[in-house]
Amino acid sequence: MTYFYKMTEEMEVQILARLPPKSLMRFKCVCKSWHALLNNPHFVAKHLHLYNNQPSSTCVLFKRSVLSRTEHNKEELVFTFLILRNDNESNADHNLINCNVEDLHFPRSMGLKSRGQFIELPGLELGESVHIVGHCDGLFCLSLHTGELVFYNPAIKEFRVLPQSCLEDACSCTLGFGYDPKRKDYVLLSIVSYGEEILDDERLVIHPPQAEIYTLSTNSWREIETHYLETETTYFWGNETFSAYFNGVFYWLGYEEKKEFVSFYDRLEEEKKQVIILFDTFDEVFHNMPLPDCFYEFPSHEMSLTVWNESIALFGFYRCEFEPFEVWVMDEFDGWTKHLSVVPKVDQEVDIPLALWRRNEVLLVDRDGRIFSYNFDTENLKYLPVHGASRGDFQAVVCVNSIVSVK
């Protein structure tokens, strides 16, 4: 005799919370109770934790430019999910990394001109691209070459085009995307610059920054104070589109600049002091902190900010004679500790450090546009089965998959 047992609701939740987002989207049609469960914020949070808390692999969203197959001397963009296996040292092929590759197909309604996975660009200028502003909980903020900002969850194929800014047209802006744990909402921060002006007496005056914040739940922008983005004589500016986000705080590499110069030429001779700019979502206040002391003594470090091993870290190359790759980790007292300094043993010259993944590996791009992973401990090098254009447009973001909605 065969016996059938009805699973308890808790058992269903525990099983469903470990399944891929694509499967869960299909399961919404199974019954009304599952549809309600999969839309429940508590289940969404549980799935975010349980599904992504599996040590077998690491997910990376990788953007690369490739040569167009239809037009000469033109590049197109491809966004690819790389699922990197964390047991690569046991891979039989010692030259290739063990990973799954899935190219993204963006919805046409997003406004991008594309052929399959290939996104056509209007030109080769840096601004005529699609930039990853940031990632949080499976959501990506994208800055499109059309001028629009988009929240996108590729795992469930949902996106939202953000409304226009509440501030007047600016010369440039620094963006940061993340989660506000106090208000339980996803937010986008924008610090805008209005450029400079040369007065009749030839003095050059820098216009002050303004800032605004967008919240997903209200689908609107509001202006915020810019206290601590200036002193009596200087302003602080972010110089990166991409920000690092960790525990309710945004981080940008930036610089400190005088508010006023005797002349335009006086400004050209002024050296900007590099700093890190922070924004705490809890009290909505800006802060700044210095880089490691040696960065000022030997200003040849080309660094990026990231979250690594549950800490904020700087990683990149010290462009001296031997060009070591360095990782600096922020400590609990807002100081810096050099975690490692190694000279990668590679045949090709390394062009771009893309992302730190696992505890001891970095994704790099060589001068030919080939992408590979380098292990600091074993000094092993493994190539990825994707290729970009030489000196092309690259970005890589370690990410997770989720069913968090942007609707």
Side-chain angles (χ1 to χ4, degrees):
M1 182 178 292
T2 303
Y3 293 92
F4 295 94
Y5 295 92
K6 178 177 173 58
M7 285 193 298
T8 65
E9 183 176 338
E10 180 58 28
M11 290 174 63
E12 288 183 356
V13 169
Q14 290 297 326
I15 293 172
L16 292 172
R18 289 169 169 82
L19 297 180
K22 289 182 180 179
S23 299
L24 295 182
M25 292 302 99
R26 293 197 299 268
F27 292 166
K28 280 188 174 184
C29 303
V30 171
C31 59
K32 290 182 178 180
S33 62
W34 277 20
H35 187 278
L37 173 65
L38 299 179
N39 286 324
N40 186 301
H42 296 292
F43 177 82
V44 173
K46 181 183 282 289
H47 175 267
L48 178 66
H49 172 70
L50 291 179
Y51 178 70
N52 294 289
N53 194 28
Q54 302 179 45
S56 60
S57 63
T58 300
C59 184
V60 177
L61 180 62
F62 178 54
K63 181 191 82 173
R64 69 192 190 278
S65 54
V66 297
L67 294 178
S68 173
R69 298 182 180 182
T70 58
E71 295 188 48
H72 178 67
N73 201 30
K74 191 171 183 180
E75 293 184 358
E76 298 173 327
L77 288 182
V78 179
F79 284 75
T80 302
F81 268 130
L82 301 173
I83 311 300
L84 308 176
R85 302 293 300 178
N86 290 334
D87 58 353
N88 272 293
E89 296 309 313
S90 62
N91 188 10
D93 190 335
H94 295 290
N95 294 319
L96 287 177
I97 199 165
N98 186 4
C99 71
N100 295 328
V101 178
E102 180 184 352
D103 291 333
L104 287 186
H105 293 69
F106 286 86
R108 287 192 175 274
S109 54
M110 192 181 286
L112 295 173
K113 188 178 180 182
S114 60
R115 296 178 298 103
Q117 72 268 41
F118 299 101
I119 300 172
E120 299 181 23
L121 300 177
L124 293 176
E125 297 297 325
L126 185 61
E128 297 177 331
S129 184
V130 179
H131 297 286
I132 305 173
V133 173
H135 162 266
C136 183
D137 295 346
L139 303 184
F140 293 89
C141 178
L142 304 176
S143 174
L144 309 186
H145 59 73
T146 58
E148 294 177 312
L149 295 168
V150 175
F151 283 2
Y152 182 40
N153 185 338
I156 60 174
K157 302 187 185 307
E158 275 191 9
F159 73 92
R160 176 191 288 264
V161 178
L162 274 57
Q164 290 295 313
S165 162
C166 67
L167 299 176
E168 296 179 4
D169 291 341
C171 296
S172 63
C173 69
T174 299
L175 300 168
F177 172 63
Y179 183 75
D180 181 348
K182 179 181 178 181
R183 298 164 184 84
K184 296 181 172 55
D185 208 349
Y186 293 94
V187 297
L188 178 67
L189 178 72
S190 173
I191 308 170
V192 302
S193 161
Y194 291 99
E196 58 200 38
E197 181 181 1
I198 298 179
L199 305 181
D200 293 339
D201 59 3
E202 296 189 351
R203 283 183 299 131
L204 186 147
V205 176
I206 310 296
H207 293 302
Q210 289 185 269
E212 59 183 343
I213 195 164
Y214 167 88
T215 51
L216 179 59
S217 63
T218 64
N219 191 33
S220 63
W221 294 90
R222 59 183 172 84
E223 190 171 357
I224 59 174
E225 297 292 340
T226 56
H227 300 315
Y228 303 106
L229 275 182
E230 63 178 294
T231 67
E232 288 187 8
T233 58
T234 64
Y235 292 126
F236 294 96
W237 301 100
N239 59 5
E240 286 196 339
T241 302
F242 184 80
S243 66
Y245 164 83
F246 184 60
N247 285 349
V249 181
F250 297 112
Y251 299 82
W252 299 269
L253 284 170
Y255 58 92
E256 185 177 11
E257 182 180 43
K258 287 182 179 179
K259 293 181 177 180
E260 186 177 309
F261 297 88
V262 175
S263 69
F264 173 78
Y265 300 101
D266 183 44
R267 184 205 186 164
L268 295 178
E269 297 175 358
E270 182 75 16
E271 289 190 10
K272 299 174 182 177
K273 180 183 178 182
Q274 285 193 306
V275 295
I276 290 178
I277 298 171
L278 298 79
F279 178 77
D280 192 334
T281 60
F282 183 81
D283 52 14
E284 297 190 346
V285 171
F286 291 95
H287 306 275
N288 64 82
M289 63 176 293
L291 296 169
D293 292 340
C294 66
F295 283 36
Y296 302 109
E297 298 172 18
F298 309 101
S300 300
H301 292 79
E302 297 178 2
M303 293 284 166
S304 298
L305 276 168
T306 191
V307 178
W308 186 59
N309 294 340
E310 295 298 307
S311 297
I312 290 294
L314 288 161
F315 72 100
F317 286 97
Y318 174 28
R319 298 299 187 184
C320 60
E321 181 181 359
F322 300 105
E323 297 202 352
F325 179 85
E326 297 184 350
V327 177
W328 293 76
V329 178
M330 184 187 299
D331 60 36
E332 58 182 321
F333 304 107
D334 291 342
W336 296 95
T337 301
K338 185 190 289 188
H339 180 79
L340 65 86
S341 179
V342 297
V343 179
K345 295 182 179 180
V346 296
D347 297 330
Q348 288 284 343
E349 187 174 354
V350 178
D351 199 20
I352 307 170
L354 285 175
L356 296 171
W357 74 286
R358 300 209 297 178
R359 64 169 188 83
N360 58 355
E361 292 204 35
V362 60
L363 296 178
L364 301 164
V365 181
D366 68 19
R367 290 293 172 94
D368 293 330
R370 295 184 301 173
I371 300 95
F372 62 94
S373 182
Y374 184 80
N375 188 296
F376 307 127
D377 297 336
T378 65
E379 299 181 346
N380 284 344
L381 178 154
K382 291 180 180 290
Y383 283 96
L384 277 67
V386 290
H387 199 289
S390 177
R391 299 302 181 90
D393 184 5
F394 296 93
Q395 271 187 287
V397 182
V398 177
C399 58
V400 298
N401 287 297
S402 76
I403 57 172
V404 176
S405 175
V406 296
K407 297 297 186 180

